[in-house]
Amino acid sequence: MARLLILLAVLAAAAGIGLVWRSRSGRARVRGIDRRGPEPGVLAALGVGDDPVTLVQFSTAFCQPCRATRRILDRIASETPGVRHLEVDAESHLDAVRALRILRTPTTLLVDAEGRIRNRVVGQPLPADVSAALAPLLGTGVSEAERRAPDGW
């Protein structure tokens, strides 16, 4: 009987951790971001220029969510003036991965024209969350209807 209770407690704890992990994955977060930016040259070496906003996506070759993230970010960049999407192979840029504290793929950084990381999305992002995070950087507003269910997503 005691073993059964221990097993149920472990399963409940694992389910709780899984639900928290799932709810946090793909959400844009500002907390914990160093507003000064990484050491000079890290983002420039990856190809980040002076675009108003660059979506820097770190991915790996066998990452399935990375492919879906690429499609989402490509679409947003093509439909939003002033936004550029840059995909970086994490395995080929380990120094940048360490400097930017990339812990898993896909991870997307929203970088402004001054080279500051303004937002970070870990996991496959929701298009509405990316659009909402871009709005203040581009000086555009996003309506509540667009935030909840943008067309075509």
Side-chain angles (χ1 to χ4, degrees), residues 32-92:
I33 294 176
D34 183 4
R35 292 290 184 181
R36 295 168 301 185
E39 60 188 70
V42 171
L43 291 171
L46 295 174
V48 175
D50 57 355
D51 298 293
V53 179
T54 304
L55 302 170
V56 182
Q57 174 192 348
F58 286 86
S59 57
T60 52
F62 298 104
C63 169
Q64 185 63 32
C66 295
R67 294 178 190 145
T69 298
R70 179 185 319 117
R71 286 190 299 270
I72 290 168
L73 297 180
D74 278 343
R75 181 169 180 188
I76 290 172
S78 68
E79 294 175 352
T80 310
V83 176
R84 178 176 168 233
H85 174 224
L86 174 66
E87 187 172 6
V88 176
D89 179 21
E91 296 171 13
S92 299

Side-chain angles (χ1 to χ4, degrees), residues 125-146:
L126 299 173
D129 285 346
V130 175
S131 297
L134 287 172
L137 299 176
L138 297 171
T140 61
V142 178
S143 71
E144 186 63 30
E146 290 173 325

Side-chain angles (χ1 to χ4, degrees), residues 112-135:
D112 67 12
E114 298 170 6
R116 292 180 301 181
I117 299 171
R118 301 293 299 267
N119 221 318
R120 176 184 297 252
V121 180
V122 178
Q124 182 177 333
L126 299 173
D129 285 346
V130 175
S131 297
L134 287 172

Side-chain angles (χ1 to χ4, degrees), residues 24-27 65-66 69 104-108 121-126:
R24 295 178 56 112
S25 183
R27 302 288 181 182
C66 295
T69 298
R104 74 176 227 200
T105 59
T107 294
T108 305
V121 180
V122 178
Q124 182 177 333
L126 299 173

